[in-house]
Structures are given as structure tokens and as C-alpha cells.
Amino acid sequence: MLNRVILIGRLTRDPELRYTPAGVAVTQFTLAVDRPFTSQGGEREADFIPIVTWRQLAETCANYLRKGRLAAVEGRMQVRNYENNEGKRVYVTEVIADNVRFLESAQNRDGGQSSNGNLPEEPSYGGGNSGGSGRGNNNFSRSSNNQDPFSGDGKPIDISDDDLPF
């Protein structure tokens, strides 16, 4: 069985960071994702999908994401239910994210360019193990070198047969 979701959209509001009684960070936000077709009136429609992140990923999202920012979310779909104050059963469908990529920097969103003209300064983060299964995958990666490894002065690249994966 497979439960995997990949979404690209814009945040409808700033993420809400909270902590569980055990001190675990959890962030919730909504992603507006365009549908691939237009309505009969010629207007573009969107789906508004609730996203939940946990632990380090939650804190990172709360620090870097803002309303209107473009983000890619990878995770799994979850449906849960509870009984509200009126005794009615309420069903909630949400995406539990384990990887979030920030697809534009604050400078690009505001109309300016970053000082070096390269990729956004904010990194993309993964991890944020949800569900407390104990795997502890709270690692994130940050590229420390934004230079293109293939930008040379036209010289051939020396690759031995041992370097090839096949």
C-alpha cells in the first residue's frame, strides 16, 4: 500500500506553531493549490489543503514560511475524527508533511533579488518525523556551496568507470 502526497502551492496565512503537553512542536498551515483546469467562467479554482508538520520541521516552517510564499510539501494523507461539543462526529482530512521545500526567497517574493543572484537563502528542510514512531529522523540539509559544479571553462571532466553507478 502507498500513501504519498506531493503538493506545490501558496500559504493562505502564516503558520501556527504550538507545542503539545510533552513539548513537541507542531505547526499547521493551509496550502492553496491550483486545479489543473478552469471553471466554465474561465476562472482558475484552487483547493485549500491543511498541512501539519512536527518537531524540527514544524519550528523551521514557523520561522521561514509566511502567507503567500510558494512551498512544496511532501507527506502522507491522514483522516482523523473526533466528537465536537455538540456531540457530532467531525472528520478532518489533512496532509502530515515530512518534507517541505521553500520555493522562493523573501527577497524574490517582495520583488527584489537576493544579493548573489542565486537560489533562495533559506534552505529546504525534511525530517520532522510525525506520529512518534521513534525513528528520530529530524535531520535537515543545507547546501553550503551554491556554485554550479558543472560550470567550468570548457575543460573535460575526468570521470573514471568506478564513479559510474552502472
Side-chain angles (χ1 to χ4, degrees):
M1 290 177 256
L2 179 66
N3 181 354
R4 208 74 197 138
V5 176
I6 300 173
L7 303 167
I8 297 177
R10 295 196 180 273
L11 274 72
T12 61
R13 63 175 186 224
D14 289 353
E16 295 177 26
L17 176 64
R18 296 183 183 163
Y19 291 89
T20 66
V24 178
V26 58
T27 300
Q28 296 178 319
F29 57 92
T30 302
L31 206 64
V33 180
D34 286 338
R35 291 182 178 171
F37 52 85
T38 58
S39 66
Q40 289 193 4
E43 295 181 17
R44 200 88 183 184
E45 294 182 10
D47 292 304
F48 298 91
I49 301 170
I51 310 293
V52 178
T53 60
W54 290 89
R55 296 176 178 75
Q56 178 66 41
L57 181 59
E59 292 175 339
T60 303
C61 287
N63 289 335
Y64 287 105
L65 289 178
R66 295 289 174 259
K67 177 181 178 179
R69 295 278 303 271
L70 189 65
V73 172
E74 183 179 0
R76 63 181 172 84
M77 183 80 66
Q78 174 178 289
V79 179
R80 60 183 172 87
N81 64 70
Y82 63 92
E83 200 169 292
N84 68 6
N85 295 338
E86 300 170 358
K88 287 189 160 189
R89 177 109 2 235
V90 177
Y91 290 89
V92 178
T93 302
E94 56 201 1
V95 172
I96 309 300
D98 52 35
N99 190 6
V100 175
R101 294 188 182 265
F102 312 128
L103 299 181
E104 65 185 1
S105 69
Q107 294 91 350
N108 291 344
R109 179 75 180 138
D110 295 336
Q113 291 291 330
S114 59
S115 59
N116 60 7
N118 289 337
L119 296 173
E121 292 179 15
E122 295 93 352
S124 63
Y125 291 91
N129 178 19
S130 62
S133 64
R135 289 182 292 184
N137 182 14
N138 289 335
N139 299 329
F140 60 87
S141 61
R142 170 177 250 168
S143 174
S144 61
N145 187 358
N146 286 336
Q147 294 179 353
D148 183 1
F150 299 105
S151 66
D153 50 1
K155 295 179 184 174
I157 299 173
D158 184 27
I159 298 176
S160 71
D161 288 339
D162 294 336
D163 294 332
L164 299 175
F166 48 89

